[in-house]
Amino acid sequence: MGVVFGDIGTSPLYSMQTVFSIHGGAVRATSEDVLGVISMVIWSLLLIVTLAYIGFIMRADNHGEGGILSLAALIRHKLGKTSHRAGAAVVLAIIGASLFYGDSLITPAISVMSAIEGIEVVDPGFAEYIVPLSALILTGLFVAQRWGTGKIGKAFGPVMVVWFLVLLVLGVPKVVENPSVLRALSPTYAIAFALDRPFIAFVALGAVVLAVTGVEALYADMGHFGRRPIMLGWLYLVLPALAVNYLGQGAMILDNPSTITNPFFNLAPQWARIPLVALAACATIIASQAVISGAFSVSRQATRSSLLPRLRVVQTSREQGGQIYMPTVNILLFLGVLTLVLVFRSSGNLAAAYGLSVTGTLLLELSLFLLLAQAVWKWPFAKVAALAVFVGGLEILLFGANAVKVLSGGWLPLLIAACFVVVMMTWKRGSRIMWGRRASMEGPIEAFAEQLAQSTVQRVAGLAVYPHGNPATVPLALRRNLESNHVLHENCVVITMKNIGVPHVRADQRITVTHLGEPGNGIVRILCKVGFNDSQDVPQALRLATMEYPELGFDPSEAMYMLSVFRIEPGQDSCMPRPQKTLFRFLEKFSANRTQALHLPPERTTVMGAQAEL
């Protein structure tokens, strides 16, 4: 309830208010407009969330993991890395992940401000406190990230259950007072509204999309909970609560058109508005927490897909691998969210910027799913076409309705997404070039081991462990140590942490040990397989290896860790445009301390390596 449905569950706070304020109040509080809008909202929830995501897209899991990057990884795995369609899927996933970052910035700002704006309904004199209170709450939220979601997560579920029950309680009396609003359950009213006033209906769609914001969280969080619990939670609590509340807002507006100024808070009696503001603030904080956690997860997946530099990841739970904290991402998100609050100053002003990133992500995820269904699952063309027409057609209309708002605020998520696309594509290209150069410096490890067997290099007592990302090449630290000191340790271990694109790898299935060169020469290679949610703890992997392969005969507690570094200096080659090279070198400075990332003991870690120009 708290993690998956926090975002979409708080949409009633601002969706209807935005519909009736958009384009200078083009949507009027008449029976035709109100019933048409409510019908659009209900059928968007049914077609996009229930049919498309719950019914189909959430079946496309990558070993239980969801989200657009995981979907692209699944397509690439099934079609092969050399497939043109797999390459296109990766590009679309990069764009989708970039749009998600825009959503991660806008959601906390619009959600918290929309909740605090409820105090203006109680007393208009409180309006000047909305921005400071929103900034204060958001500051506390981002400061609390370092402690993880474990402690506050226990309160998320109960608070959101209360929230959805309150949505029901607020909506039911209004529907009972004016049951004619139930006519909006028929799609004919949405169709009639679109045919009678096509331009106004198109404009309204730009705000209706706010009712489905957060649907991408259902798919992204599937790895934490599984499809069945999410499906049951949606069908039996969340969907009924949202539908009844939207119907209640529509019934109230039909009875009293003046309530369009803030339909949600006007549902409540005067005495209940202050408690409702407090509950809404809690719900929006939870919704913000969900999207911030999602940004952490997307950033880690992007890092492990070589789309971002290696960023510092802090595991905030020993039991739940998905509970992480990324300090760099947290600081950047906080600065971005705070800037949006101070610049836009109200949820209404920010609503114009909100829908484009959401609808763009929905279209990209549906496109990738249809590619998977057609190319991998071999769905009949008629089935693919039907889903594309009914769901894709609606999503295209929603995207188009938000695209017309580019000048009035829709440029913001596009700008944010464009920045992240440039960053990811630059890092992907630059890392491919530089790691290729590094591999040529390192050379093949098999040939190195054979040459070593024929040499008379001196061996000294001890265990040297070389963490290394490429099991096929020689660690730079190993080569530099041999060239500089002309000695090798009696036992040399080259250990590689390999992410295999699944959420989790069991401890008894992680380790593979290979002896390099002549038997008994003391050089072994350890391959440790890890998943998205597994910690890359090298000492722990070494202990697992000695437990599974006792014949290795060394004590992990005596290991000295020799860490390879590869410095990148400015150069004059023409492999990349100068601005991209500058950006790549700048991004490289954000790379996490590998001693911390790999959990190496600093007192037993030595750094050696080489440099190259870019």
Side-chain angles (χ1 to χ4, degrees):
M1 289 298 111
V3 175
V4 176
F5 300 112
D7 192 0
I8 198 170
T10 52
S11 295
L13 277 166
Y14 45 80
S15 298
M16 289 297 99
Q17 179 183 359
T18 304
V19 167
F20 290 99
S21 63
I22 197 170
H23 206 67
V27 182
R28 302 190 300 264
T30 62
S31 177
E32 293 78 9
D33 287 15
V34 171
L35 293 177
V37 165
I38 299 298
S39 183
M40 284 180 174
V41 169
I42 298 296
W43 281 93
S44 293
L45 293 173
L46 291 175
L47 287 176
I48 294 177
V49 185
T50 310
L51 176 65
Y53 275 84
I54 298 293
F56 292 107
I57 294 178
M58 289 184 66
R59 296 180 182 179
D61 67 288
N62 187 4
H63 298 278
E65 189 78 9
I68 194 165
L69 288 178
S70 291
L71 180 57
L74 177 63
I75 293 172
R76 193 179 185 205
H77 173 71
K78 296 294 185 181
L79 297 182
K81 295 181 180 180
T82 59
S83 168
H84 293 299
R85 287 182 293 182
V90 172
V91 173
L92 292 179
I94 290 173
I95 298 172
S98 300
L99 287 170
F100 181 80
Y101 281 116
D103 193 16
S104 300
L105 288 173
I106 299 173
T107 294
I110 191 174
S111 297
V112 172
M113 279 198 294
S114 65
I116 302 303
E117 282 167 357
I119 64 175
E120 194 175 4
V121 178
V122 179
D123 186 344
F126 286 129
E128 60 183 293
Y129 299 107
I130 291 174
V131 171
L133 280 175
S134 299
L136 183 63
I137 290 172
L138 288 165
T139 300
L141 176 64
F142 280 97
V143 168
Q145 295 302 311
R146 67 182 63 195
W147 291 290
T149 58
K151 294 181 180 179
I152 59 175
K154 292 180 180 179
F156 280 9
V159 170
M160 291 309 295
V161 168
V162 171
W163 171 255
F164 288 119
L165 292 177
V166 168
L167 292 184
L168 281 167
V169 170
L170 291 175
V172 168
K174 301 299 182 182
V175 174
V176 172
E177 291 173 11
N178 189 354
S180 65
V181 76
L182 293 173
R183 291 176 292 169
L185 293 175
S186 169
T188 57
Y189 283 86
I191 297 171
F193 180 41
L195 294 177
D196 183 51
R197 305 177 68 198
F199 176 73
I200 301 303
F202 185 70
V203 170
L205 278 174
V208 167
V209 70
L210 299 178
V212 297
T213 56
V215 61
E216 64 275 20
L218 275 68
Y219 188 37
D221 291 324
M222 186 170 63
H224 297 288
F225 306 103
R227 176 174 176 264
R228 181 175 172 79
I230 294 174
M231 177 183 68
L232 295 176
W234 172 256
L235 294 177
Y236 288 102
L237 178 59
V238 181
L239 177 59
L242 292 175
V244 168
N245 192 266
Y246 285 123
L247 289 167
Q249 291 187 41
M252 178 187 65
I253 292 171
L254 290 175
D255 286 338
N256 184 3
S258 65
T259 56
I260 61 173
T261 54
N262 199 320
F264 178 79
F265 285 104
N266 281 317
L267 281 176
Q270 188 70 30
W271 61 266
R273 288 176 183 171
I274 291 294
L276 185 58
V277 169
L279 178 60
C282 292
T284 53
I285 289 171
I286 292 172
S288 302
Q289 174 64 50
V291 78
I292 293 168
S293 299
F296 291 160
S297 298
V298 168
S299 298
R300 181 163 68 172
Q301 290 189 19
T303 294
R304 293 183 174 179
S305 299
S306 297
L307 299 175
L308 288 176
R310 181 184 288 107
L311 302 173
R312 184 185 174 206
V313 179
V314 179
Q315 293 290 149
T316 58
S317 171
R318 295 183 178 180
E319 294 79 22
Q320 300 296 327
Q323 292 186 14
I324 59 174
Y325 167 62
M326 302 182 72
T328 302
V329 176
N330 191 61
I331 291 173
L332 293 176
L333 284 178
F334 170 64
L335 294 176
V337 170
L338 193 61
T339 300
L340 293 182
V341 170
L342 297 177
V343 170
F344 285 85
R345 305 190 70 82
S346 78
S347 62
N349 293 337
L350 198 52
Y354 197 21
L356 204 55
S357 59
V358 175
T359 52
T361 303
L362 295 181
L363 268 177
L364 290 170
E365 287 188 336
L366 180 65
S367 300
L368 290 180
F369 174 78
L370 292 175
L371 173 60
L372 177 74
Q374 185 272 326
V376 178
W377 292 351
K378 305 300 180 184
W379 273 18
F381 174 77
K383 190 175 181 180
V384 174
L387 190 60
V389 169
F390 287 104
V391 178
L394 175 58
E395 291 182 355
I396 289 173
L397 286 174
L398 291 172
F399 180 79
N402 282 275
V404 300
K405 299 186 295 183
V406 169
L407 296 180
S408 60
W411 55 267
L412 180 62
L414 292 182
L415 178 63
I416 296 171
C419 292
F420 277 102
V421 167
V422 170
V423 166
M424 290 186 182
M425 297 301 289
T426 297
W427 184 260
K428 186 175 181 65
R429 182 180 180 184
S431 59
R432 183 173 63 248
I433 293 171
M434 296 312 295
W435 305 156
R437 294 180 182 178
R438 174 173 177 165
S440 64
M441 288 182 181
E442 293 169 336
I445 195 167
E446 299 289 352
F448 176 82
E450 292 176 3
Q451 294 172 4
L452 195 63
Q454 300 171 5
S455 67
T456 56
V457 64
Q458 183 178 353
R459 307 296 287 265
V460 297
L463 168 63
V465 178
Y466 297 87
H468 187 45
N470 186 352
T473 61
V474 183
L476 283 174
L478 175 56
R479 192 175 284 280
R480 292 292 177 263
N481 183 40
L482 181 60
E483 292 173 354
S484 302
N485 301 320
H486 308 290
V487 296
L488 280 181
H489 287 82
E490 182 181 7
N491 291 298
C492 294
V493 175
V494 178
I495 185 166
T496 298
M497 310 297 289
K498 182 180 180 181
N499 188 286
I500 61 173
V502 300
H504 174 67
V505 180
R506 290 174 49 184
D508 59 354
Q509 297 176 349
R510 291 186 181 181
I511 303 297
T512 302
V513 173
T514 306
H515 291 271
L516 299 173
E518 297 293 330
N521 71 351
I523 303 178
V524 297
R525 177 172 56 204
I526 296 177
L527 181 66
C528 180
K529 299 177 182 178
V530 294
F532 289 143
N533 296 325
D534 294 326
S535 174
Q536 299 195 23
D537 190 325
V538 168
Q540 175 63 22
L542 194 64
R543 289 190 290 270
L544 283 175
T546 55
M547 291 172 59
E548 293 190 27
Y549 298 86
E551 64 272 15
L552 291 174
F554 51 70
D555 185 358
S557 63
E558 299 177 354
M560 294 295 297
Y561 295 92
M562 314 291 284
L563 190 61
S564 302
V565 294
F566 185 59
R567 292 185 299 275
I568 300 172
E569 302 293 339
Q572 301 300 320
D573 59 8
S574 58
C575 62
M576 293 172 66
R578 184 178 297 275
Q580 273 196 313
K581 292 198 290 185
T582 303
L583 177 59
F584 181 82
R585 290 194 300 268
F586 174 75
L587 293 172
E588 198 272 335
K589 298 182 186 300
F590 282 92
S591 295
N593 184 319
R594 293 186 66 218
T595 302
Q596 296 176 347
L598 300 175
H599 302 270
L600 306 180
E603 69 279 3
R604 290 190 284 125
T605 301
T606 301
V607 177
M608 302 180 73
Q611 69 180 41
E613 293 185 351
L614 176 65

